[in-house]
Amino acid sequence: MTARPLPGAERWSVPAPVLSGSLLTDAEALRAYTAEAEKLLGELPAKPGRDAGQQQLAAEVIADQRRLRSAFLELHVERVYLALTGGLREQRSLSELVFAAAEAFPGLTPTEAQMAAERECGQSDKEGREIDQGIFFHWVLRSPQAGPHLMRAMLRPTQRARSLLGEFSRTGSLDLGTVRLELIDRAAHITLCNGRFLNAEDNQLVDDLETAVDLALLDDRVKVGVLRGGKMTHPRYQGRRVFCAGINLVDLHQGRISLVDFLLRRELGYLHKLIRGVQVDDAWPRPLVEKPWVAAVDTFAIGGGMQMLFAVDHVVAAADSYVSLPAAQEGIVPGMANLRLTALAGGRLSRQVILSGRKLWAGEPDAGVVCDEVVDPKLMDASVDAAVDRLASPAVVPNRHMINLSEEPMDRLRAYAAEFALEQALRLYSPDVIDKVDRFSAGASSDRRNGSVS
């Protein structure tokens, strides 16, 4: 290797190694190269204190590491994944997998310590190490061997849900923090209760929702699940039900929205479980336990809220409500919406909603691709109960299983998820998103919703 430039120099002169095709040899080359790069980055000031030359140098060093990581994974991803999962015998969560990769293959993904340091920074002050996690999952999900294994692993019930199943069985209700779960007759009612923030999504809401979905699927008494927003404490919507305001942009600005534990976990976790069910190894004849779902939309379902509607079997919407996906205006990708809304509505309406930010009011004809029933707000409770009664029929589960298999084959979803993992990671740290999030946060006031779209 040639000598490292001094901090403040404007070029990075350490050449990337040529990969040989041998996993052990290439892993050592990756380790040595990234160690040298990290040493240089450690000698630079923290990102906010860098001058233009130092920032350019850091960008070059980081970009070269990413090119090498991507090339390494293109060659070795299946052997890496086999090593991390004991030859496919172990099923790991997203965070377990990506941190195991950092330990087993130094330099391949960020360490837990590096990610902890990133979490202390606002979004604009981070190095963007989540992009390296996005690269990792891009190649894992693309792999015809590793990808399906990871997708199945993400359908396991969470440890938190398993630990709470006994309590839910005894009491029939749980307060999970931002979500309330109640068994009413044959239905598990999951109520979003992040009322101060209009049910805006954050890491905690994702964890609470997945726990509630798991419990509803695991409890044999539950025949149908219901998703609905609770009553708000936000001054503008005081006492009104709101379904979901999407991603909390203030949390994003402050660096509290995680690519792995929020954006990827949401898509491959509870949203996927709404469609496919939860994996129970001793279940027969299939290892997936699935149930039908109803969503009740009061006031609005924005961003991630609208995305939930694509994963359920029946949507009841209040006549004065609307749905929207203004993700392109915020600069990010709205999860699986580009896949699912296009399947439901076709490309033209999808472009209007996703690219141009068109809002669909429940009563207009085009909203029919999302909303199955539009009712007077006073009739919401009765309409939800009637939907539960219809979907509790024993023949519903096998038929929804076949519809979902036809509508969204696993390999199609996996191919989309592989691209999403990388594209979303890149968008989170793009200059336009950072600028928009900063301006949103600076202009937020008590009479604006504390969160927006995803």
Side-chain angles (χ1 to χ4, degrees):
M1 291 186 177
T2 58
R4 284 186 295 106
L6 295 173
E10 295 185 359
R11 54 189 301 276
W12 161 240
S13 58
V14 177
V18 176
L19 299 179
S20 67
S22 163
L23 176 60
L24 292 179
T25 300
D26 291 347
E28 173 55 28
L30 173 68
R31 184 205 63 77
Y33 183 79
T34 56
E36 188 74 6
E38 291 296 331
K39 184 177 180 182
L40 173 59
L41 289 174
E43 293 173 356
L44 293 172
K47 187 176 178 181
R50 293 172 190 161
D51 61 30
Q54 291 168 337
Q55 187 54 43
Q56 177 63 30
L57 171 60
E60 292 176 6
V61 173
I62 291 168
D64 284 348
Q65 289 185 85
R66 288 176 180 155
R67 279 189 282 267
L68 180 60
R69 290 176 180 125
S70 188
F72 177 87
L73 286 165
E74 186 174 12
L75 281 175
H76 300 299
V77 65
E78 293 197 345
R79 283 172 287 180
V80 167
Y81 191 82
L82 287 170
L84 298 178
T85 59
L88 304 182
R89 292 186 300 275
E90 301 171 17
Q91 294 183 316
R92 293 177 178 266
S93 69
L94 297 175
S95 58
E96 290 170 344
L97 188 67
V98 77
F99 289 133
E103 291 186 12
F105 299 92
L108 180 58
T109 60
T111 65
E112 291 191 64
Q114 287 173 325
M115 292 309 302
E118 288 275 271
R119 286 193 294 272
E120 296 299 315
C121 303
Q123 195 72 5
S124 61
D125 295 335
K126 296 182 180 184
E127 296 287 7
R129 293 189 186 275
E130 286 178 303
I131 294 173
D132 301 291
Q133 295 178 324
I135 292 169
F136 175 77
F137 286 114
H138 168 75
W139 287 106
V140 168
L141 289 165
R142 276 177 59 110
S143 163
Q145 183 179 52
H149 186 271
L150 177 58
M151 297 284 283
R152 289 192 298 272
M154 289 301 296
L155 293 176
R156 295 175 305 156
T158 65
Q159 181 59 44
R160 185 184 179 200
R162 288 194 293 266
S163 70
L164 291 171
L165 182 58
E167 182 180 350
F168 180 57
S169 297
R170 290 191 306 273
T171 66
S173 65
L174 287 174
D175 184 346
L176 298 171
T178 61
V179 169
R180 187 173 64 252
L181 174 64
E182 296 174 280
L183 178 65
I184 303 175
D185 295 327
R186 297 171 291 177
H189 288 252
I190 297 175
T191 305
L192 283 63
C193 301
N194 197 10
R196 181 183 167 208
F197 302 112
L198 302 182
N199 289 332
E201 299 173 292
D202 53 26
N203 286 7
Q204 185 62 51
L205 184 64
V206 168
D207 185 67
D208 292 344
L209 267 174
E210 184 165 12
T211 302
V213 169
D214 283 352
L215 289 167
L217 290 167
L218 291 170
D219 192 302
D220 292 337
R221 299 170 297 176
V222 175
K223 305 305 178 187
V224 181
V226 177
L227 297 171
R228 194 173 186 183
K231 293 183 178 180
M232 299 294 101
T233 58
H234 187 288
R236 179 177 292 180
Y237 298 92
Q238 180 77 38
R240 292 178 58 186
R241 285 185 182 266
V242 165
F243 190 72
C244 178
I247 196 170
N248 189 318
L249 284 180
V250 172
D251 271 12
L252 177 60
H253 166 70
Q254 295 173 350
R256 296 198 298 262
I257 296 295
S258 164
L259 174 72
V260 171
D261 292 325
F262 180 146
L263 295 165
L264 293 181
R265 178 181 172 183
R266 178 181 64 176
E267 304 304 330
L268 301 181
Y270 82 83
L271 286 177
H272 196 202
K273 288 172 177 176
L274 291 174
I275 296 171
R276 303 281 179 184
V278 69
Q279 179 178 298
V280 180
D281 293 333
D282 59 354
W284 190 91
R286 291 189 304 271
L288 292 173
V289 175
E290 57 182 287
K291 295 174 183 177
W293 291 89
V294 176
V297 179
D298 301 276
T299 310
F300 53 69
I302 299 174
M306 187 176 181
Q307 292 171 45
M308 292 183 212
L309 308 184
F310 305 145
V312 303
D313 301 287
H314 191 84
V315 176
V316 181
D320 59 353
S321 67
Y322 68 87
V323 297
S324 67
L325 281 171
Q329 287 68 55
E330 302 295 352
I332 55 180
V333 180
M336 304 297 173
N338 306 59
L339 174 69
R340 291 175 179 150
L341 181 58
T342 302
L344 290 170
R348 188 53 50 202
L349 182 58
S350 295
R351 283 173 169 80
Q352 294 172 18
V353 173
I354 296 171
L355 304 185
S356 301
R358 178 183 170 187
K359 182 186 297 184
L360 296 178
W361 287 93
E364 61 181 297
D366 283 343
V369 300
V370 180
C371 304
D372 298 287
E373 288 184 79
V374 180
V375 303
D376 186 294
K378 296 177 182 178
L379 300 177
M380 286 290 288
D381 291 349
S383 299
V384 169
D385 290 343
V388 168
D389 288 340
R390 290 193 299 272
L391 291 179
S393 168
V396 166
V397 170
N399 279 288
R400 80 182 293 276
H401 175 79
M402 300 308 295
I403 290 171
N404 288 332
L405 183 66
S406 172
E407 194 170 60
E408 189 176 282
M410 184 75 86
D411 281 347
R412 184 182 180 206
L413 175 64
R414 179 173 62 83
Y416 181 98
E419 298 305 311
F420 172 76
L422 181 56
E423 290 294 339
Q424 189 74 303
L426 292 169
R427 292 310 303 158
L428 285 176
Y429 294 92
S430 60
D432 61 302
V433 169
I434 296 294
D435 179 64
K436 288 172 182 175
V437 171
D438 285 352
R439 285 190 284 109
F440 175 91
S441 182
S445 60
S446 60
D447 63 346
R448 294 181 60 181
R449 62 185 177 85
N450 190 9
S452 186
V453 299
S454 64

